[in-house]
Amino acid sequence: MRSELFAQEHLEVEGTGQFVRQSSKMMKVELSQGSVVALAGSMVAYQGDVHFEHQGAGGIAKFVKQRLTGEGLPLMRISGTGEIFFANRAADVHVIQLEGESLSINGANILAYEDTLSSDIQMMRGAGMMSGGMFNTTLSGSGQVAILTDGPPLVLDAGEAPTFVDPDAAVCWSAGLHVQLKTAIGMKALLGRTSGEEVQLGFVGQGFVVVQPSENMRFGGQDSGRQVDNQTRSGGGFNLGDLIR
């Protein structure tokens, strides 16, 4: 059998790490021990003896944070031995190796991460209650995390100058950055004569900010954002199973 489908560019990519990008849109996890946490429904294929389980919030404190902030997404824990392939709505996949650092990331942009990383939902420093409370997921420790961007990303050095980003375009940033909410809502907003750019996230300090060329990903666009929200709420509000890790 012959076809351009069997060209080298379409074959499985071997690698030395646990997270191996297969293409700009897909990632493979080599699993031999431990487990990984991934976005529920993001598995597209696997080989071997692999087990999928619902990932609970990890206790009542995290459960309450997820419900109050809306930052939590349905996750699954994967264990066993084999290779698992992940993708979501053909979004671009990027792998970040954390070496004792902390990364603040929009939960909607998380594809998977190693269970060696600790996760928490935290209020953005400086954005605070003035904005009604803006929250992000913080991953800390040593391990790999795969993130999604809606198109090729841009990495900005926040140390060069104060950096301002549309909240829906911000993907992740160094957790040590000071974050502030910049608003310019006045009489023009009341008259309907705004530019549509009245709210931005400002970043100050030493670190980086990753921006995607889209303002719609909450998650993968407005429609899928509603689907994820419906998944989170399915079963009607309080779910005792969410308290169990």
Side-chain angles (χ1 to χ4, degrees):
M1 187 179 296
R2 285 184 288 180
S3 170
E4 52 80 25
L5 182 64
F6 303 115
Q8 184 64 40
E9 63 188 278
H10 298 147
L11 300 183
E12 180 181 347
V13 177
E14 302 296 337
T16 55
Q18 187 173 29
F19 284 24
V20 183
R21 288 179 76 220
Q22 300 299 290
S23 67
S24 63
K25 312 291 186 182
M26 190 178 298
M27 181 195 71
K28 175 179 70 175
V29 171
E30 298 269 6
L31 195 59
S32 58
Q33 59 182 355
S35 60
V36 296
V37 178
L39 178 69
S42 61
M43 182 276 292
V44 295
Y46 72 90
Q47 296 177 309
D49 183 18
V50 178
H51 310 282
F52 302 86
E53 299 177 75
H54 168 71
Q55 168 69 18
I60 191 167
K62 287 188 178 181
F63 172 80
V64 171
K65 281 186 179 181
Q66 288 185 358
R67 291 294 173 170
L68 292 180
T69 65
E71 176 64 10
L73 284 175
L75 298 174
M76 58 183 175
R77 181 173 291 272
I78 307 166
S79 58
T81 303
E83 300 174 336
I84 310 100
F85 299 86
F86 298 96
N88 192 56
R89 298 181 64 85
D92 290 346
V93 178
H94 312 274
V95 178
I96 301 174
Q97 175 71 52
L98 295 182
E99 299 173 330
E101 306 99 336
S102 294
L103 180 71
S104 184
I105 176 171
N106 172 10
N109 293 89
I110 295 175
L111 178 61
Y113 59 89
E114 292 186 84
D115 64 358
T116 55
L117 296 174
S118 61
S119 65
D120 194 13
I121 297 174
Q122 298 180 346
M123 181 180 289
M124 299 180 195
R125 295 193 314 162
M129 297 307 296
M130 206 178 128
S131 62
M134 297 188 70
F135 298 84
N136 241 28
T137 297
T138 299
L139 296 177
S140 305
S142 297
Q144 292 178 300
V145 53
I147 67 170
L148 299 166
T149 62
D150 194 6
L154 171 68
V155 180
L156 299 173
D157 183 353
E160 293 185 352
T163 303
F164 298 90
V165 178
D166 184 293
D168 287 332
V171 174
C172 62
W173 55 85
S174 304
L177 290 175
H178 180 77
V179 185
Q180 61 185 19
L181 188 72
K182 181 179 179 182
T183 60
I185 300 175
M187 185 58 68
K188 288 184 178 180
L190 297 177
L191 297 175
R193 297 179 180 177
T194 67
S195 65
E197 305 294 344
E198 284 71 38
V199 179
Q200 302 105 38
L201 287 178
F203 299 89
V204 179
Q206 297 300 316
F208 66 88
V209 182
V210 177
V211 182
Q212 64 188 8
S214 168
E215 299 178 353
N216 296 323
M217 195 168 178
R218 283 291 189 259
F219 175 71
Q222 294 176 351
D223 290 339
S224 60
R226 284 193 289 269
Q227 291 170 5
V228 166
D229 188 54
N230 289 337
Q231 286 177 341
T232 305
R233 295 176 183 173
S234 63
F238 188 90
N239 183 354
L240 183 60
D242 288 335
L243 299 179
I244 303 173
R245 190 174 186 82

